[in-house]
Amino acid sequence: MSFGGLFDGGGAGGGMQFPYAAAFSSSPALSLGLDNAGGGGGIGGRMFPDAAAGRDADAAQNDSRSGSDHLDAVSGVGDDDDDAAEPSNPRKRKKRYHRHTPQQIQELEALFKECPHPDEKQRAELSRRLSLDARQVKFWFQNRRTQMKTQLERHENAILKQENDRLRAENMTIREAMRTPMCGGCGSPAMLGEVSLEEQHLRIENERLKDELSRVCTLATKFLGKPVSLLSPMQLQPQHLSMPLPNSSLELAVGGIGGIGSMQQQATMHGGMSDYAGGASSSMGTVITPARAAGSAALASMVDIDRSVFLEIAISAMDELVKMAQMGDPLWVTTGLPGSPSKETLNFDEYHSTFQSIGMKPVGFVSEASRESGLVIIDNSVALVETLMDERRWSDMFSCMIAKATILEEVSSGIASSRNGALLLMKAELQVLSPLVPIREVIFLRFCKQLADCAWAVVDVSIDGLLSNQNSATAQPAANLKCRRLPSGCVMQDTPNGYCKVTWVEHSEYDEASVHQFYRPLLRSGHAFGASRWLATLQRQCECLAILMSSTAVPPNEPTAISQEGKRSMLKLARRMTENFCAGVSASSAREWSKLDGATGSIGEDVRVMVRKSVSEPGEPAGVVLSAATSVWLPVAPERLFDFLRDEQLRAEWDILSNGGPMQEMTRIAKGHQNGNSVSLLRASALSANQSSMLILQETCTDASGSIVVYAPVDIPAMQLVMNGGDSTYVALLPSGFAILPDGPSVGNEHKTGGSLLTVAFQILVNSQPTAKLTVESVETVNNLISCTIKKIKTALQCATPEC
């Protein structure tokens, strides 16, 4: 076996080779041997007389060994007595070399595998056991390590040589392609003087992408079981677009939001079209994943729908969203009274002439459309994209608007481990915090696309009409369709100052007959489900996260300082309280509420009463829980009404839990720059010296779209545990509170403008036994509580007029 070829004995015998040949080259005996080398003996015969005789017999055996026995002769170099030369003798005595026995080699190899660098104690023990000198063992390990290193270097050199040959061949291929460029349009040779060097590189890259697209389409054909055509940019262009798309990758100038090219063109040029259609591209991994457990009934109605149809709808919706976010007049008409904020209104005639409608508008449906732009405090647009593409984080971000969200199927997970090209089939329940507005249940596609380096877009589009048309036998009947979400979503662009510019577009059609008269103007104006509410909620939530994460210092106006762990625990408890409050108002499927027959309060409000039985559920007292909610219109500005309800000093004017006196704020956690966004812990005055005071946890939120005030009585020992950073999961509470929305523009003579739509909701434990029956007295009690509270509010605000 060769160890580097540094010392070759030559001759027929193939003398031994070993890495320490340089150490022997200076000796006279070695020089003499080299001069006389030749014939059958060679260096091996002169240097190793003991081994030469048996070398021929052992040649085949030596070749099959691990190589360690080729080093055993060198391990005997350390004999000082043999190395000494007499001064009178011009030539040194020949050294005696001998092989290790197979047993010795086996022991040495076994220890080398476990410990390539044995210490002195291990070497001494091994030399004693093998009857070898300690220096022999030491030199054997040194040579074995040198041999291992040489083998690794040879292997690495071989790999690098192969890589070098491959790069050289690739370089030659590219040079040859540059010498003979071909025209991408006609396929004929192009003159070098007609195109620049940069354009030549781009054309070569374009051809490579076309080959990749062809390969992915082939995989998609095998995956889908039917042919997938290589769609050209002109084939992908919708018929309703009058402006031609670019047909070359050289024309895809995407410099920002204002210069965004066609999403369909980018999908084709980068192989994205085949990926979205279901192709198992190597850069995407698994494209179609199994559906989630939730929403199995909706998935059953979509078994026969081709997933490529989802792709076509998503691409068309993305193109429409980007254009609606960019275009101005005449598509969007700016309206507004002098001195008031301007508002953009969609010109529906221009919209229908510009875009192709997705299905027919159901009879009796009305349309609402809005657009809003603003800056959001967030790290980058990618972080916002991740929030929108995760149903749990999306629901938490817009908890007052989303009652429940579920991903039914992940049609595409994206390209190259990113959200670019991700396509989800989702189901959501959208809510307005009022019992007078029904839940909007929509099944839609959510498609994410990277428009530029720091620009993204996420679009939603309903497929309810597709379900009815494609699979009418099992799909949801058209008569039960209450809402359709046309292409809606947001376009995000990073800015240099640490903000993200968001342009939100909302466009939907819904059945207005099921909406109470109070809320019809609000819904038509877009303030209930429109772009302004989505964007205002996003700005408030991102501002809250930025404040909570920016500093650990306690604000100077905070009454009682608590630790960071206590703040996190208290905020977690407040979030659960608000989520339970919203679920009790909207009556979504997120909580198991049973509706009772509509009740009417003593002052004439429509009260919706629901009941649920709680059995050992964490965070909720066991027993029968009653929820009652109603909505009224008040001729009071929303800001004034919100400030009145959140003021602990004025709480006694409407809250029976205040014991008739003002409340004291024990601690407060700010969640925004405005004072109205906070979580507070209030303490009510005790009625007597023997009675302990009660604590109330309260969360208040406000933005341009509306406000909420949610509160719940809490146990003192439990709150002490929470404020010390303990787990708040098992703190039992039943929330009550208010939701305030601005009323919309006047329609007919329903009511005057400039007022507020107030929703009042209570959750009460009427019996601690879950098996107990609900009595009429319990319903009357909560009904009277709502009526009494509304009367007190009207009296305190001096608005108890017949109009109210």
Side-chain angles (χ1 to χ4, degrees):
M1 184 175 181
S2 175
F3 295 96
L6 299 178
F7 183 28
D8 193 343
M16 292 189 64
Q17 306 161 0
F18 46 97
Y20 290 99
F24 297 98
S25 61
S26 61
S27 64
L30 184 59
S31 301
L32 181 61
L34 288 173
D35 295 337
N36 298 330
I43 298 300
R46 297 178 182 270
M47 294 284 297
F48 308 103
D50 296 336
R55 181 173 52 220
D56 294 335
D58 297 336
Q61 187 178 15
N62 289 341
D63 292 338
S64 63
R65 291 178 181 175
S66 63
S68 61
D69 54 342
H70 293 274
L71 305 175
D72 54 2
V74 183
S75 65
V77 171
D79 295 334
D80 296 336
D81 296 339
D82 293 339
D83 292 342
E86 297 179 3
S88 59
N89 192 352
R91 299 180 57 183
K92 296 182 180 179
R93 282 193 310 170
K94 292 184 180 181
K95 302 175 184 178
R96 292 182 297 104
Y97 296 92
H98 58 82
R99 295 181 182 273
H100 296 316
T101 64
Q103 291 79 9
Q104 290 174 336
I105 295 175
Q106 184 177 3
E107 291 285 341
L108 291 168
E109 289 285 357
L111 182 59
F112 182 83
K113 292 180 180 180
E114 297 179 1
C115 179
H117 295 271
D119 54 21
E120 185 176 355
K121 182 178 179 181
Q122 291 176 312
R123 292 197 303 268
E125 174 64 20
L126 187 62
S127 63
R128 183 190 59 81
R129 191 169 66 250
L130 299 179
S131 300
L132 294 174
D133 187 76
R135 291 169 58 86
Q136 290 180 300
V137 174
K138 176 181 178 181
F139 291 140
W140 187 92
F141 274 93
Q142 289 179 354
N143 296 336
R144 189 67 175 90
R145 289 193 296 266
T146 304
Q147 175 196 3
M148 184 67 68
K149 180 179 178 181
T150 303
Q151 292 175 344
L152 292 177
E153 289 177 351
R154 286 183 178 179
H155 180 68
E156 292 175 357
N157 290 340
I159 295 177
L160 292 175
K161 184 177 181 302
Q162 294 177 1
E163 181 69 14
N164 189 24
D165 294 339
R166 185 187 65 81
L167 293 176
R168 184 180 293 106
E170 183 178 348
N171 189 16
M172 294 177 62
T173 302
I174 294 177
R175 289 178 179 272
E176 183 64 26
M178 292 176 61
R179 292 192 188 98
T180 58
M182 304 296 293
C183 177
C186 61
S188 60
M191 299 300 295
L192 290 177
E194 296 179 357
V195 293
S196 63
L197 181 61
E198 181 182 3
E199 189 171 353
Q200 292 182 43
H201 284 290
L202 291 175
R203 290 186 184 275
I204 295 172
E205 177 69 10
N206 193 21
E207 292 299 324
R208 186 188 66 81
L209 292 175
K210 286 182 179 180
D211 294 338
E212 182 180 352
L213 175 61
S214 176
R215 178 181 58 83
V216 173
C217 283
T218 303
L219 294 175
T221 300
K222 297 179 181 179
F223 187 84
L224 295 176
K226 66 176 186 177
V228 177
S229 60
L230 290 173
L231 301 177
S232 66
M234 296 305 297
Q235 290 174 316
L236 291 174
Q237 181 177 352
Q239 296 179 357
H240 64 270
L241 294 179
S242 59
M243 181 177 63
L245 296 178
N247 56 7
S248 171
S249 62
L250 301 177
E251 300 173 21
L252 292 178
V254 185
I257 290 295
I260 295 173
S262 170
M263 295 301 98
Q264 299 165 340
Q265 170 71 8
Q266 280 191 327
T268 305
M269 299 308 298
H270 291 82
M273 175 63 67
S274 299
D275 291 336
Y276 305 150
S281 171
S282 60
S283 61
M284 289 182 57
T286 303
V287 177
I288 297 181
T289 60
R292 307 218 177 172
S296 57
L299 278 175
S301 63
M302 292 178 285
V303 172
D304 297 331
I305 299 179
D306 190 353
R307 292 311 187 255
S308 62
V309 178
F310 289 166
L311 171 68
E312 296 174 5
I313 295 176
I315 291 179
S316 178
M318 177 62 72
D319 179 71
E320 179 176 323
L321 172 68
V322 174
K323 284 181 169 57
M324 290 188 70
Q326 295 175 351
M327 297 174 66
D329 189 65
L331 182 64
W332 294 97
V333 180
T334 303
T335 59
L337 298 176
S340 61
S342 59
K343 177 185 176 183
E344 290 183 318
T345 304
L346 181 64
N347 185 344
F348 287 99
D349 293 336
E350 183 68 21
Y351 171 79
H352 291 300
S353 64
T354 305
F355 302 104
Q356 182 179 3
S357 300
I358 302 178
M360 297 295 295
K361 180 179 178 179
V363 179
F365 276 34
V366 296
S367 300
E368 62 168 320
S370 57
R371 182 175 72 172
E372 197 77 22
S373 297
L375 296 177
V376 177
I377 305 176
I378 198 167
D379 293 338
N380 50 58
S381 55
V382 177
L384 183 54
V385 167
E386 291 295 333
T387 299
L388 297 176
M389 299 303 291
D390 184 277
E391 80 276 17
R392 179 59 183 170
R393 294 166 63 181
W394 180 51
S395 300
D396 290 341
M397 181 69 75
F398 303 95
S399 57
C400 294
M401 300 183 64
I402 303 172
K404 185 179 180 181
T406 306
I407 295 180
L408 301 179
E409 182 175 348
E410 188 179 32
V411 182
S412 172
S413 59
I415 302 175
S417 302
S418 71
R419 291 294 188 178
N420 183 24
L423 180 60
L424 305 177
L425 178 61
M426 300 184 67
K427 179 179 179 181
E429 297 179 13
L430 308 181
Q431 64 184 357
V432 171
L433 294 181
S434 172
L436 306 183
V437 181
I439 288 286
R440 286 188 177 182
E441 183 176 315
V442 289
I443 299 177
F444 59 95
L445 292 171
R446 172 161 291 181
F447 182 50
C448 177
K449 182 66 180 179
Q450 185 175 9
L451 307 179
D453 193 18
C454 296
W456 292 77
V458 176
V459 65
D460 296 343
V461 58
S462 290
I463 60 169
D464 303 84
L466 177 65
L467 296 180
S468 301
N469 296 332
Q470 295 284 340
N471 196 8
S472 58
T474 58
Q476 183 182 13
N480 295 334
L481 181 63
K482 301 297 182 183
C483 175
R484 286 203 320 150
R485 201 168 186 210
L486 278 68
S488 306
C490 60
V491 176
M492 298 153 281
Q493 171 72 54
D494 291 340
T495 59
N497 56 357
Y499 286 75
C500 179
K501 181 181 178 182
V502 177
T503 300
W504 205 292
V505 176
E506 279 295 321
H507 190 190
S508 62
E509 298 172 344
Y510 64 95
D511 183 11
E512 194 179 48
S514 58
V515 181
H516 195 276
Q517 294 287 339
F518 278 168
Y519 283 85
R520 289 184 181 181
L522 180 70
L523 267 65
R524 287 188 178 182
S525 66
H527 291 159
F529 293 104
S532 60
R533 191 179 182 205
W534 287 100
L535 184 58
T537 303
L538 177 64
Q539 289 173 324
R540 172 172 55 82
Q541 293 282 54
C542 290
E543 181 187 19
C544 171
L545 293 175
I547 290 177
L548 295 177
M549 297 175 61
S550 61
S551 176
T552 59
V554 179
N557 57 347
E558 186 171 318
T560 303
I562 59 176
S563 63
Q564 285 298 113
E565 292 77 10
K567 283 186 178 182
R568 283 193 292 266
S569 183
M570 190 171 172
L571 289 172
K572 182 180 178 181
L573 179 62
R575 184 180 67 180
R576 175 163 62 88
M577 175 183 66
T578 302
E579 290 177 352
N580 292 346
F581 169 78
C582 296
V585 173
S586 62
S588 68
S589 61
R591 300 296 296 269
E592 297 295 333
W593 289 101
S594 299
K595 295 182 181 179
L596 303 180
D597 293 336
T600 301
S602 58
I603 59 173
E605 291 86 9
D606 294 329
V607 180
R608 181 171 65 190
V609 181
M610 301 183 298
V611 64
R612 65 188 305 267
K613 295 181 179 180
S614 175
V615 182
S616 65
E617 293 188 11
E620 189 171 285
V624 179
V625 179
L626 195 65
S627 174
T630 189
S631 297
V632 295
W633 177 81
L634 298 179
V636 181
E639 295 81 7
R640 181 189 172 196
L641 181 57
F642 174 70
D643 291 338
F644 169 74
L645 293 175
R646 73 182 182 88
D647 192 344
E648 68 274 6
Q649 300 298 325
L650 303 177
R651 197 180 186 96
E653 298 187 25
W654 59 267
D655 188 8
I656 62 173
L657 297 178
S658 63
N659 297 332
M663 288 193 172
Q664 178 186 359
E665 186 179 69
M666 296 182 61
T667 185
R668 179 171 60 87
I669 303 175
K671 297 178 59 180
H673 294 297
Q674 299 182 10
N675 293 331
N677 292 313
S678 63
V679 174
S680 306
L681 186 63
L682 309 177
R683 181 172 60 190
S685 303
L687 293 176
S688 62
N690 297 329
Q691 183 182 6
S692 61
S693 60
M694 178 180 58
L695 296 181
I696 293 179
L697 179 65
Q698 176 176 284
E699 180 174 16
T700 58
C701 301
T702 183
D703 52 49
S705 64
S707 310
I708 61 170
V709 178
V710 184
Y711 63 92
V714 290
D715 186 49
I716 294 179
M719 282 308 302
Q720 290 177 346
L721 176 65
V722 171
M723 295 178 67
N724 290 329
D727 187 11
S728 62
T729 304
Y730 296 96
V731 177
L733 48 77
L734 289 175
S736 302
F738 309 92
I740 306 169
L741 291 173
D743 61 352
S746 176
V747 179
N749 295 322
E750 295 174 1
H751 58 73
K752 297 180 180 180
T753 59
S756 302
L757 294 171
L758 174 66
T759 297
V760 185
F762 290 96
Q763 292 186 28
I764 300 176
L765 182 67
V766 297
N767 198 306
S768 59
Q769 297 296 327
T771 58
K773 299 293 184 179
L774 183 64
T775 62
V776 179
E777 291 77 10
S778 300
V779 178
E780 286 296 329
T781 299
V782 71
N783 195 6
N784 293 334
L785 176 61
I786 286 183
S787 300
C788 180
T789 301
I790 293 177
K791 283 183 178 180
K792 288 185 176 182
I793 293 174
K794 290 181 177 181
T795 302
L797 297 176
Q798 300 178 357
C799 61
T801 63
E803 288 181 335
C804 299

